[in-house]
Amino acid sequence: VGTLSANQGVDVSAEVSGIVAKISFESGQTVTAGEILVQLDAAAELAELRSLQAQHELARLDYDRARGLSRNTAVSQAELDRDRTVLESLSAQTDEQKALMAQTTIRAPFTGVLGIREVNVGQYLSPGSPIVTLQNLNPIFANFTLPERYLQDLEVGHSVTLKVAAYGDKAFTGRLTAISPKVEEKTRNVPLQATLENTELELRPGMFARIAVAIGEDRQVLTLPRTAISPHPYGDSVFVIEETSGNQIVKIRQVVVGQLKGNRVEVISGLSPGEQVVATGQLKLRSEQR
């Protein structure tokens, strides 16, 4: 058993405090990376930025003037260095204020589907306040574990089949894409992750899933319906149908069976491909009966 998780998923939140001035999305909407979701009131930050830009411009003029005078030794090197330091400090403060201004515009960090909106216009947000969940659903991950005894048989790329309660017997297929380098000490299980295409967005993060991993390689086997096998204390047997002088005769034959899959059972030895056997009603038969 396992749990589905998004390819990418975050709860979008505010980096700085402020009042919500505008909401630019609807619950359940699909958005692209960089799209604006919420705009906070940035009037105070904008005023501070303008003040710093004015101070920066004045400091630049002072430095340019001092640099011109220093050629005629009218200004000392110490005064020139002081003016340059003031200019660089104000430049850094201006860049910091611009970054703070950018944080008042909250954008989608990646393309995905939004959840239910958790804020309203006029609401005060503090840093870390949740706004909406954003999930990238295609492809989607399935996280699960297997006992450590299967570790040597597991390889990235193995086929994975998944079923969820929401879709009954419908199977979704994917590939094993990650094997944890560490075995869990408490359970002795190996954490695994499979990746599945989810173009129809049927699978959702948090779903409970039943997962099967195809271990090993495909091989051709001889199979029979389970009802064709007659169990006995001395071993399993089948009734083989043979043609003799135009008549059909059934003969009992011992077989060795292997793995089961659904209503089919693998026959390891005792039969050859193409032979006919009785599938049901063996209780009414005896060997050599026509």
Side-chain angles (χ1 to χ4, degrees):
V1 297
T3 302
L4 301 185
S5 63
N7 175 25
Q8 294 188 85
V10 297
D11 291 327
V12 180
S13 59
E15 295 183 78
V16 295
S17 59
I19 302 295
V20 177
K22 184 179 179 181
I23 298 175
S24 303
F25 70 90
E26 297 292 336
S27 297
Q29 177 182 340
T30 299
V31 294
T32 57
E35 189 171 335
I36 296 176
L37 303 179
V38 171
Q39 178 65 57
L40 301 181
D41 184 6
E45 288 80 1
L46 180 59
E48 179 66 20
L49 177 61
R50 288 174 177 171
S51 174
L52 288 171
Q53 288 174 332
Q55 295 177 56
H56 179 267
E57 179 63 18
L58 178 60
R60 186 187 64 79
L61 293 174
D62 289 344
Y63 175 67
D64 290 343
R65 189 179 301 110
R67 186 171 56 178
L69 294 173
S70 67
R71 298 190 182 98
N72 300 323
T73 67
V75 174
S76 66
Q77 185 63 38
E79 291 176 315
L80 182 63
D81 291 343
R82 188 181 307 109
D83 288 342
R84 185 180 67 252
T85 300
V86 171
L87 176 62
E88 292 175 350
S89 175
L90 286 170
S91 177
Q93 292 180 52
T94 301
D95 291 342
E96 180 183 12
Q97 189 63 23
K98 287 180 180 179
L100 185 63
M101 284 281 298
Q103 291 176 351
T104 62
T105 302
I106 301 169
R107 301 176 182 271
F110 51 82
T111 299
V113 180
L114 295 172
I116 298 175
R117 176 167 57 90
E118 299 184 41
V119 296
N120 298 289
V121 173
Q123 180 178 344
Y124 174 80
L125 297 182
S126 56
S129 297
I131 295 173
V132 67
T133 185
L134 175 62
Q135 305 289 322
N136 186 325
L137 304 180
N138 185 35
I140 196 166
F141 295 144
N143 299 314
F144 60 105
T145 61
L146 284 178
E148 64 175 323
R149 65 177 180 271
Y150 295 113
L151 183 58
Q152 66 176 350
D153 299 320
L154 293 171
E155 291 183 7
V156 170
H158 276 170
S159 176
V160 172
T161 303
L162 177 149
K163 293 182 180 181
V164 294
Y167 298 104
D169 291 332
K170 182 177 181 179
F172 300 86
T173 58
R175 292 288 175 183
L176 185 65
T177 50
I179 302 173
S180 174
K182 181 180 179 181
V183 176
E184 296 176 346
E185 293 184 7
K186 293 183 178 180
T187 62
R188 307 301 178 187
N189 288 335
V190 183
L192 306 170
Q193 186 175 81
T195 303
L196 300 93
E197 291 295 325
N198 190 31
T199 54
E200 301 298 325
L201 306 184
E202 295 175 301
L203 302 175
R204 299 299 176 95
M207 277 184 166
F208 172 85
R210 294 190 176 277
I211 304 166
V213 182
I215 296 177
E217 299 178 351
D218 293 338
R219 59 189 179 93
Q220 294 290 334
V221 298
L222 180 63
T223 66
L224 289 177
R226 296 181 65 175
T227 54
I229 306 296
S230 300
H232 296 285
Y234 52 82
D236 297 317
S237 64
V238 297
F239 279 98
V240 181
I241 303 173
E242 296 182 357
E243 293 281 347
T244 302
S245 301
N247 297 319
Q248 289 186 333
I249 298 176
V250 293
K251 294 183 178 180
I252 193 167
R253 188 185 300 175
Q254 284 189 292
V255 294
V256 178
V257 299
Q259 297 182 5
L260 299 175
K261 185 174 182 181
N263 66 343
R264 306 290 295 186
V265 60
E266 176 190 7
V267 178
I268 298 175
S269 64
L271 282 178
S272 299
E275 289 189 291
Q276 291 184 321
V277 301
V278 177
T280 59
Q282 295 92 325
L283 293 177
K284 301 177 182 179
L285 300 177
R286 65 181 184 276
S287 188
E288 305 294 336
Q289 181 179 346
R290 293 183 180 182

PDB file of all heavy atoms in Angstrom, residues 252-267:
ATOM      1  N   ILE A 252      -5.204 -39.925 -16.862  1.00  0.00           N
ATOM      2  CA  ILE A 252      -4.734 -39.101 -15.767  1.00  0.00           C
ATOM      3  C   ILE A 252      -3.214 -38.991 -15.842  1.00  0.00           C
ATOM      4  O   ILE A 252      -2.521 -39.950 -16.206  1.00  0.00           O
ATOM      5  CB  ILE A 252      -5.177 -39.690 -14.406  1.00  0.00           C
ATOM      6  CG1 ILE A 252      -4.964 -38.669 -13.298  1.00  0.00           C
ATOM      7  CG2 ILE A 252      -4.449 -40.985 -14.104  1.00  0.00           C
ATOM      8  CD1 ILE A 252      -5.659 -39.037 -11.998  1.00  0.00           C
ATOM      9  N   ARG A 253      -2.721 -37.803 -15.582  1.00  0.00           N
ATOM     10  CA  ARG A 253      -1.283 -37.572 -15.647  1.00  0.00           C
ATOM     11  C   ARG A 253      -0.873 -36.619 -14.524  1.00  0.00           C
ATOM     12  O   ARG A 253      -1.542 -35.606 -14.283  1.00  0.00           O
ATOM     13  CB  ARG A 253      -0.889 -36.973 -16.991  1.00  0.00           C
ATOM     14  CG  ARG A 253       0.631 -36.883 -17.187  1.00  0.00           C
ATOM     15  CD  ARG A 253       0.958 -36.169 -18.475  1.00  0.00           C
ATOM     16  NE  ARG A 253       0.401 -36.847 -19.652  1.00  0.00           N
ATOM     17  CZ  ARG A 253       0.478 -36.347 -20.882  1.00  0.00           C
ATOM     18  NH1 ARG A 253       1.094 -35.178 -21.075  1.00  0.00           N
ATOM     19  NH2 ARG A 253      -0.055 -37.014 -21.894  1.00  0.00           N
ATOM     20  N   GLN A 254       0.227 -36.921 -13.855  1.00  0.00           N
ATOM     21  CA  GLN A 254       0.725 -36.063 -12.797  1.00  0.00           C
ATOM     22  C   GLN A 254       1.463 -34.860 -13.391  1.00  0.00           C
ATOM     23  O   GLN A 254       2.157 -34.979 -14.407  1.00  0.00           O
ATOM     24  CB  GLN A 254       1.670 -36.822 -11.867  1.00  0.00           C
ATOM     25  CG  GLN A 254       0.963 -37.764 -10.897  1.00  0.00           C
ATOM     26  CD  GLN A 254       1.905 -38.315  -9.855  1.00  0.00           C
ATOM     27  OE1 GLN A 254       2.791 -39.091 -10.186  1.00  0.00           O
ATOM     28  NE2 GLN A 254       1.706 -37.906  -8.615  1.00  0.00           N
ATOM     29  N   VAL A 255       1.275 -33.722 -12.740  1.00  0.00           N
ATOM     30  CA  VAL A 255       1.939 -32.489 -13.178  1.00  0.00           C
ATOM     31  C   VAL A 255       2.547 -31.793 -11.972  1.00  0.00           C
ATOM     32  O   VAL A 255       2.144 -32.028 -10.827  1.00  0.00           O
ATOM     33  CB  VAL A 255       0.947 -31.538 -13.886  1.00  0.00           C
ATOM     34  CG1 VAL A 255       0.455 -32.126 -15.197  1.00  0.00           C
ATOM     35  CG2 VAL A 255      -0.220 -31.177 -12.976  1.00  0.00           C
ATOM     36  N   VAL A 256       3.499 -30.925 -12.259  1.00  0.00           N
ATOM     37  CA  VAL A 256       4.094 -30.063 -11.227  1.00  0.00           C
ATOM     38  C   VAL A 256       3.680 -28.632 -11.541  1.00  0.00           C
ATOM     39  O   VAL A 256       3.927 -28.129 -12.650  1.00  0.00           O
ATOM     40  CB  VAL A 256       5.628 -30.190 -11.199  1.00  0.00           C
ATOM     41  CG1 VAL A 256       6.217 -29.244 -10.147  1.00  0.00           C
ATOM     42  CG2 VAL A 256       6.032 -31.626 -10.921  1.00  0.00           C
ATOM     43  N   VAL A 257       3.037 -27.997 -10.564  1.00  0.00           N
ATOM     44  CA  VAL A 257       2.530 -26.644 -10.780  1.00  0.00           C
ATOM     45  C   VAL A 257       3.436 -25.623 -10.102  1.00  0.00           C
ATOM     46  O   VAL A 257       4.180 -25.942  -9.170  1.00  0.00           O
ATOM     47  CB  VAL A 257       1.084 -26.505 -10.282  1.00  0.00           C
ATOM     48  CG1 VAL A 257       0.171 -27.451 -11.022  1.00  0.00           C
ATOM     49  CG2 VAL A 257       1.002 -26.718  -8.784  1.00  0.00           C
ATOM     50  N   GLY A 258       3.339 -24.379 -10.578  1.00  0.00           N
ATOM     51  CA  GLY A 258       4.150 -23.294 -10.024  1.00  0.00           C
ATOM     52  C   GLY A 258       3.288 -22.178  -9.477  1.00  0.00           C
ATOM     53  O   GLY A 258       2.392 -22.408  -8.669  1.00  0.00           O
ATOM     54  N   GLN A 259       3.495 -20.984  -9.984  1.00  0.00           N
ATOM     55  CA  GLN A 259       2.834 -19.794  -9.439  1.00  0.00           C
ATOM     56  C   GLN A 259       1.390 -19.686  -9.931  1.00  0.00           C
ATOM     57  O   GLN A 259       1.028 -20.204 -10.986  1.00  0.00           O
ATOM     58  CB  GLN A 259       3.608 -18.532  -9.829  1.00  0.00           C
ATOM     59  CG  GLN A 259       5.021 -18.489  -9.266  1.00  0.00           C
ATOM     60  CD  GLN A 259       5.724 -17.189  -9.632  1.00  0.00           C
ATOM     61  OE1 GLN A 259       5.141 -16.296 -10.211  1.00  0.00           O
ATOM     62  NE2 GLN A 259       6.994 -17.096  -9.270  1.00  0.00           N
ATOM     63  N   LEU A 260       0.602 -18.970  -9.120  1.00  0.00           N
ATOM     64  CA  LEU A 260      -0.790 -18.678  -9.461  1.00  0.00           C
ATOM     65  C   LEU A 260      -0.913 -17.223  -9.869  1.00  0.00           C
ATOM     66  O   LEU A 260      -0.250 -16.350  -9.310  1.00  0.00           O
ATOM     67  CB  LEU A 260      -1.697 -18.946  -8.264  1.00  0.00           C
ATOM     68  CG  LEU A 260      -1.746 -20.383  -7.720  1.00  0.00           C
ATOM     69  CD1 LEU A 260      -2.596 -20.428  -6.453  1.00  0.00           C
ATOM     70  CD2 LEU A 260      -2.318 -21.325  -8.772  1.00  0.00           C
ATOM     71  N   LYS A 261      -1.778 -16.958 -10.828  1.00  0.00           N
ATOM     72  CA  LYS A 261      -2.096 -15.590 -11.215  1.00  0.00           C
ATOM     73  C   LYS A 261      -3.548 -15.549 -11.643  1.00  0.00           C
ATOM     74  O   LYS A 261      -3.917 -16.059 -12.701  1.00  0.00           O
ATOM     75  CB  LYS A 261      -1.202 -15.097 -12.342  1.00  0.00           C
ATOM     76  CG  LYS A 261      -1.443 -13.629 -12.678  1.00  0.00           C
ATOM     77  CD  LYS A 261      -0.455 -13.122 -13.704  1.00  0.00           C
ATOM     78  CE  LYS A 261      -0.692 -11.624 -13.970  1.00  0.00           C
ATOM     79  NZ  LYS A 261       0.251 -11.097 -14.988  1.00  0.00           N
ATOM     80  N   GLY A 262      -4.374 -14.960 -10.810  1.00  0.00           N
ATOM     81  CA  GLY A 262      -5.802 -14.930 -11.089  1.00  0.00           C
ATOM     82  C   GLY A 262      -6.362 -16.340 -11.048  1.00  0.00           C
ATOM     83  O   GLY A 262      -6.170 -17.080 -10.085  1.00  0.00           O
ATOM     84  N   ASN A 263      -7.043 -16.744 -12.119  1.00  0.00           N
ATOM     85  CA  ASN A 263      -7.615 -18.093 -12.190  1.00  0.00           C
ATOM     86  C   ASN A 263      -6.756 -19.034 -13.036  1.00  0.00           C
ATOM     87  O   ASN A 263      -7.206 -20.090 -13.467  1.00  0.00           O
ATOM     88  CB  ASN A 263      -9.038 -18.039 -12.760  1.00  0.00           C
ATOM     89  CG  ASN A 263      -9.052 -17.580 -14.208  1.00  0.00           C
ATOM     90  OD1 ASN A 263      -8.078 -17.012 -14.695  1.00  0.00           O
ATOM     91  ND2 ASN A 263     -10.161 -17.820 -14.897  1.00  0.00           N
ATOM     92  N   ARG A 264      -5.496 -18.644 -13.280  1.00  0.00           N
ATOM     93  CA  ARG A 264      -4.583 -19.463 -14.052  1.00  0.00           C
ATOM     94  C   ARG A 264      -3.455 -19.969 -13.154  1.00  0.00           C
ATOM     95  O   ARG A 264      -3.027 -19.280 -12.228  1.00  0.00           O
ATOM     96  CB  ARG A 264      -3.980 -18.671 -15.213  1.00  0.00           C
ATOM     97  CG  ARG A 264      -4.981 -17.996 -16.126  1.00  0.00           C
ATOM     98  CD  ARG A 264      -5.753 -18.972 -16.972  1.00  0.00           C
ATOM     99  NE  ARG A 264      -4.906 -19.698 -17.920  1.00  0.00           N
ATOM    100  CZ  ARG A 264      -5.383 -20.523 -18.834  1.00  0.00           C
ATOM    101  NH1 ARG A 264      -6.699 -20.755 -18.915  1.00  0.00           N
ATOM    102  NH2 ARG A 264      -4.571 -21.146 -19.666  1.00  0.00           N
ATOM    103  N   VAL A 265      -2.976 -21.169 -13.437  1.00  0.00           N
ATOM    104  CA  VAL A 265      -1.891 -21.765 -12.673  1.00  0.00           C
ATOM    105  C   VAL A 265      -0.797 -22.208 -13.644  1.00  0.00           C
ATOM    106  O   VAL A 265      -1.076 -22.736 -14.728  1.00  0.00           O
ATOM    107  CB  VAL A 265      -2.386 -22.951 -11.815  1.00  0.00           C
ATOM    108  CG1 VAL A 265      -2.992 -24.029 -12.675  1.00  0.00           C
ATOM    109  CG2 VAL A 265      -1.262 -23.518 -10.962  1.00  0.00           C
ATOM    110  N   GLU A 266       0.450 -21.965 -13.269  1.00  0.00           N
ATOM    111  CA  GLU A 266       1.589 -22.336 -14.094  1.00  0.00           C
ATOM    112  C   GLU A 266       1.862 -23.836 -13.984  1.00  0.00           C
ATOM    113  O   GLU A 266       1.863 -24.389 -12.879  1.00  0.00           O
ATOM    114  CB  GLU A 266       2.824 -21.552 -13.644  1.00  0.00           C
ATOM    115  CG  GLU A 266       4.099 -21.930 -14.363  1.00  0.00           C
ATOM    116  CD  GLU A 266       5.331 -21.306 -13.732  1.00  0.00           C
ATOM    117  OE1 GLU A 266       5.195 -20.682 -12.666  1.00  0.00           O
ATOM    118  OE2 GLU A 266       6.426 -21.458 -14.314  1.00  0.00           O
ATOM    119  N   VAL A 267       2.087 -24.477 -15.116  1.00  0.00           N
ATOM    120  CA  VAL A 267       2.454 -25.894 -15.152  1.00  0.00           C
ATOM    121  C   VAL A 267       3.940 -25.979 -15.496  1.00  0.00           C
ATOM    122  O   VAL A 267       4.354 -25.616 -16.605  1.00  0.00           O
ATOM    123  CB  VAL A 267       1.614 -26.675 -16.175  1.00  0.00           C
ATOM    124  CG1 VAL A 267       2.055 -28.136 -16.207  1.00  0.00           C
ATOM    125  CG2 VAL A 267       0.139 -26.564 -15.838  1.00  0.00           C
TER     126      VAL A 267
END
